Amino acid sequence: MAETLILNLYAFFFLLCFCCCCYSYDDHQVLYNTFTVSSFSFAETTLKPYEWRYIRVDLPPWFSSMYLELESDIDLDIESIGKVSRSSLPIICFRDGSPPLPDVSNSSNSLMSGPLSNGSFGSAQNMEQCYPMQKNIVMKLTNEQISPGVYYFGLFNGVGPARTQSKMITRGPSFSFKANISVEGCTSSTMWGPYCNLTVHSLSCSQSSQNNFLGNISSTENNQTSANVVSCQNSINNSCLGDGELQVYSLEVVGMTEELTVTLRNFTYSETPGNSSGFVLMCYARLGAMPLENLHDYSGDINKSPLVIRSPKVGRWYFAIITRHMSKQLAGLRGNTNKVCFSIEWEVAECLVGKAGPDCSWQSYSLQTVLRKNPSVPFESYYLPSTGKVSSDSANFRVEPLLSNSEFGGNKKDTPWTYFFLEVPRGASGGNIHIRLTSSSELKYQIYARFGGFPSLDSWDYLYANQTTNSDGSMFFKMYNSSGETVSFYILYAKEGTWSFGLRQINPTKSASGDSTTMSISLERCPKRCSSHGTCQSVLDSSGLMLFSYCSCDRNHGGFDCSIEIVSRQGHIWQSVSLIASNAAAIMPAYWALRQKAFAEWVLFTCSGISSGLYHACDVGTWCALSFHVLQFMDFWLSFMAVVSTFVYLAAIDEVSKRTIHTVVAIVTALMAITGATRSANIILVIAIGALVLLVGWLIEFSTNFRSFSFPTGFYLNILDQWEIITRWFHNILKTFLRRFRWGFLLAGFSALAMAAISWKVENSESYWIWHSVWHVSIYTSSFLFLCSKANIIDSQDQGSQEQSYELTRQSSFSRGE
């Protein structure tokens, strides 16, 4: 009996645990129905001053959230951030669709002063946002905050025009970081939300026949106003919602469409009949992300009128339907279970091929990509209309044969539009779209640009209307020419995908028949070819998924397009004269070495001064006798050799030992110059090598001059006498050392060397030319003073032995005389 009771208890607990486990598992599945789409980590990376890194993250349409964990060695609080200049402030930037550019035009205003957190994102999802770097950043961005597609992180160690300027030296604080990024997705396409616990109803669509679009406008041979209309509905005919309840739908817009309409159908009450006027049926629409009451793209009460979205962008649209009972709210009633039942119809109207506009009466052209024949510059291309109306011989095409006819169109008050759309390929978001219009007379066109949909007067991303009304100064738009006959501008780091351009003709009836306007649209790696003040560089981002380009400017210019003059022409002359002429100080040590017949040192100092002058002449952009890398190697290698040879000269050793030391030092310093000439540690290494050489030279001299010294046999028996010998021996060494140098020159040499160390320590990118000129003068002056400090002496022991030999010889001669 007891055994049966025990077995029943075991069975009861087993069933209880099984039910609890199943409940927990099911609850987890409901709340967290996600899986890891991708996960990758970045090893520790160091960013030196003005360096930057891009990280690309692909977010699929079914993603739910993205996690970012970033750890750095930066220790900046909010108070100290305001004291750091932007040129040395580490920042992190975020941008949807293309890499961020925090130092372009007025986009520097995008720097946020507050700390970075999850709540920093939402209302400005399509804009660039930048924040000061923090020591630890842990973020979770959900599909309610950011849209699917491509997302970019940019880490910058200082921003400003000098970021792309070529610098003679780069000094300043560096920082390192490492990051982990993971993307979570929903296991089912019908689930949505941060935890994939919100049901999204799919729509079933069917294409109807060609219908007259927006008005009874007759179709003619020259003006086709019919459109393809796709009708979509929920698979469940009627949906019922109570007050405040929510229902979400999704619709995929796959092409360039003219209009998307959301219409309420079959409105009824679930329990008691009533008037639909008492209900507010709000529809919130948002592209690529979950619409909220306080965060959406379009909204409207579809119980009063349909929600119309003109020229919707390509992508997945989400619609949230929420009911509100106005009379109930006013009366303050609660607990009413009556529901609203309805059906909703979505209509997507797309013009026929070659047509666009509100009534499908304007011309539209698909632009064909023509790759440029330059394999060294990838993704560079220009675009031409895929029609026989224009010539395909060049990148420019005439506009007049492509213009829409102003005599047709549903709205006679609007001026005619002509549309062009193109595709920026995947991975080319690090390029720039260049648009140029040139007319034989005054330009009579306005240009509107939009990503993902046709532009209009009310909906556009960038525009040029005239010299005063344009997008110049906004993010990622750069105007280069805005005269009466020509307009030229760039869309910087254009997003990959479909771009559309609308050409709006002004006063078409007044246009002269002889006017000729040409247009060119191209995808270029660097804007304006770096303004002829730099070279265009292309590199992969940290993820290896995107190729971006940037300008590497010369010494005098900076900015993202090298158009900002950092060093004026007069300043360039001063810098050139200072850096080149200061090497004339090498004459002093070269002259002294030649006077002392130290020919090896004379050759080194002479060649060092000449190579340094040639290197700096090329470095500042004045004149390059040889390639820059050859001149740089020669300058640093001969400078290292000149410093070490100064120490060798101070050691009084024979020529064989000097040649051996010079050979070894030449090999070591050549390796230092070829592997990393500009390393700051090289100066310490060269001084250490010189001191070691001097020590070796003294040891050689010591072993040569004092090798006759030995302890006699009776050393242990007569310690006092031997102590006097040892004391006298050390006294002779000290006396020789004190007589070896002219101490006034030696102290002056150390003072000049200290000045050289100070100039090396305080020089930076801005004051480099001043302090490095001081470095030239100081280091050559110190070498000259050190060479002068060596005194020519005869060792006391050698002199004594010579006198003793002379006396013995005189005695021997005298004996033979007797």
Side-chain angles (χ1 to χ4, degrees), residues 169-172 636 640 676-686 760 763:
I169 62 163
T170 302
R171 298 269 176 85
F636 282 87
F640 297 160
T678 58
R679 284 193 300 256
S680 299
N682 282 345
I683 296 180
I684 300 176
L685 290 176
V686 169
W760 173 76
E763 67 183 10

Side-chain angles (χ1 to χ4, degrees), residues 464-708:
Y464 173 83
N466 49 53
Q467 296 181 7
T468 57
T469 306
N470 53 65
S471 298
D472 194 25
S474 64
M475 283 187 181
F476 312 109
F477 183 94
K478 180 63 177 179
M479 180 78 65
Y480 284 102
N481 195 344
S482 179
S483 62
E485 296 79 21
T486 302
V487 57
S488 176
F489 63 86
Y490 281 84
I491 298 175
L492 305 175
Y493 279 5
K495 297 181 180 180
E496 56 188 47
T498 304
W499 281 87
S500 179
F501 302 91
L503 200 62
R504 184 170 181 256
Q505 192 175 1
I506 305 172
N507 298 326
T509 58
K510 298 182 180 180
S511 299
S513 59
D515 290 351
S516 177
T517 303
T518 59
M519 185 177 185
S520 66
I521 303 177
S522 58
L523 183 64
E524 301 176 4
R525 302 312 300 172
C526 291
K528 206 181 178 182
R529 297 291 188 268
C530 298
S531 305
S532 300
H533 297 303
T535 58
C536 188
Q537 305 291 331
S538 297
V539 294
L540 289 171
D541 72 320
S542 297
S543 61
L545 300 176
M546 186 269 300
L547 187 76
F548 72 95
S549 300
Y550 67 95
C551 287
S552 178
C553 308
D554 58 26
R555 294 286 189 261
N556 304 324
H557 295 83
F560 72 98
D561 58 353
C562 302
S563 61
I564 300 176
E565 186 181 58
I566 298 178
V567 181
S568 64
R569 181 174 179 81
Q570 184 177 5
H572 174 75
I573 295 175
W574 277 107
Q575 292 186 10
S576 301
V577 172
S578 178
L579 288 170
I580 296 173
S582 58
N583 289 283
I587 296 175
M588 294 186 296
Y591 165 75
W592 185 261
L594 181 62
R595 181 179 177 182
Q596 299 298 318
K597 296 183 180 181
F599 298 110
E601 285 77 8
W602 169 68
V603 171
L604 281 175
F605 284 112
T606 303
C607 294
S608 175
I610 294 174
S611 63
S612 181
L614 292 175
Y615 164 68
H616 286 288
C618 183
D619 195 28
V620 297
T622 302
W623 176 64
C624 293
L626 298 171
S627 67
F628 175 81
H629 295 289
V630 172
L631 292 174
Q632 185 184 60
F633 168 77
M634 293 297 296
D635 175 37
F636 282 87
W637 179 50
L638 291 175
S639 298
F640 297 160
M641 285 293 298
V643 172
V644 177
S645 67
T646 303
F647 288 92
V648 176
Y649 179 80
L650 295 179
I653 55 179
D654 58 280
E655 290 297 325
V656 175
S657 300
K658 283 186 177 182
R659 286 196 297 269
T660 304
I661 293 175
H662 275 145
T663 303
V664 174
V665 169
I667 296 173
V668 174
T669 53
L671 291 175
M672 293 171 56
I674 200 66
T675 56
T678 58
R679 284 193 300 256
S680 299
N682 282 345
I683 296 180
I684 300 176
L685 290 176
V686 169
I687 297 296
I689 292 173
L692 179 63
V693 167
L694 183 60
L695 178 61
V696 171
W698 283 346
L699 290 176
I700 294 175
E701 180 185 358
F702 171 80
S703 62
T704 302
N705 296 336
F706 298 96
R707 59 189 174 188
S708 60

Side-chain angles (χ1 to χ4, degrees), residues 128-144:
E128 175 182 296
Q129 297 184 12
C130 298
Y131 297 85
M133 274 289 293
Q134 302 167 200
K135 187 175 183 62
N136 293 293
I137 297 176
V138 179
M139 292 178 52
K140 175 186 176 182
L141 301 178
T142 68
N143 51 20
E144 294 180 347

